[in-house]
Amino acid sequence: MAKHHILLLATVACIHHIAYAASLKAAATGTAYDILDKNNLPRGLLPQGVRSYVLNPDGKLEVTLARQCEIPVTFGSQQLKFRFSSTVGGVIKPGSIQEVYGVDVQIKFGWLGIRQVDRAGDQLTFQAKQFTQSFPVSAFAVSQSCS
């Protein structure tokens, strides 16, 4: 009987340790916007209204928004629309997000899925299937409201 109590006690202690470690990791990482900041990427790559996120040790980031939304981004005299699914993500590394999913950009009369975002100095380069375009980082300095 004593062996069962020791085993039960050890199991409960392990569960508490795992839960405590997970809460420390969540507290240390902050918000999804903080994850962007820590990787030298502007907060405006995500719209306002992030509900939750998961960041795996391998850098895979998944963000849940309140709903699908579109945001306009203006730089100079140009304006583009970005469309976000309710779940977006990719693999985040310092200065880049690869394997992006859930984000489209409107090009002329159609939408293209963004596949990668890279930062080089004051420029962000977005790569889609048939589209590569650079924009000033300042165009994404602030998170926009969804429309």
Side-chain angles (χ1 to χ4, degrees):
M1 186 76 161
K3 288 182 183 179
H4 292 289
H5 288 290
I6 292 172
L7 182 59
L8 179 62
L9 183 61
T11 303
V12 170
C14 286
I15 291 170
H16 283 292
H17 175 73
I18 291 168
Y20 177 72
S23 68
L24 284 179
K25 183 178 178 184
T29 28
T31 68
Y33 306 105
D34 294 334
I35 299 300
L36 291 172
D37 286 340
K38 289 176 185 176
N39 284 280
N40 196 30
L41 295 165
R43 296 167 86 77
L45 286 176
L46 288 172
Q48 292 178 3
V50 169
R51 283 203 169 169
S52 64
Y53 76 95
V54 175
L55 177 62
N56 293 319
D58 63 357
K60 184 174 181 189
L61 174 66
E62 185 167 275
V63 177
T64 302
L65 304 173
R67 60 184 168 86
Q68 179 178 323
C69 71
E70 294 180 9
I71 60 169
V73 175
T74 304
F75 58 98
S77 62
Q78 242 184 333
Q79 184 177 29
L80 292 175
K81 274 191 183 174
F82 287 83
R83 181 173 57 199
F84 293 81
S85 297
S86 59
T87 302
V88 300
V91 178
I92 192 165
K93 299 177 181 178
S96 75
I97 306 174
Q98 301 169 353
E99 302 175 34
V100 174
Y101 60 91
V103 182
D104 300 317
V105 63
Q106 187 175 29
I107 305 297
K108 296 185 183 182
F109 301 109
W111 292 89
L112 294 176
I114 299 293
R115 301 288 177 244
Q116 186 165 325
V117 180
D118 295 300
R119 180 174 183 166
D122 291 337
Q123 294 290 304
L124 284 177
T125 301
F126 291 82
Q127 295 178 21
K129 194 171 187 177
Q130 301 168 340
F131 169 83
T132 299
Q133 181 70 46
S134 293
F135 305 100
V137 171
S138 60
F140 297 88
V142 176
S143 293
Q144 302 293 317
S145 296
C146 291
S147 60

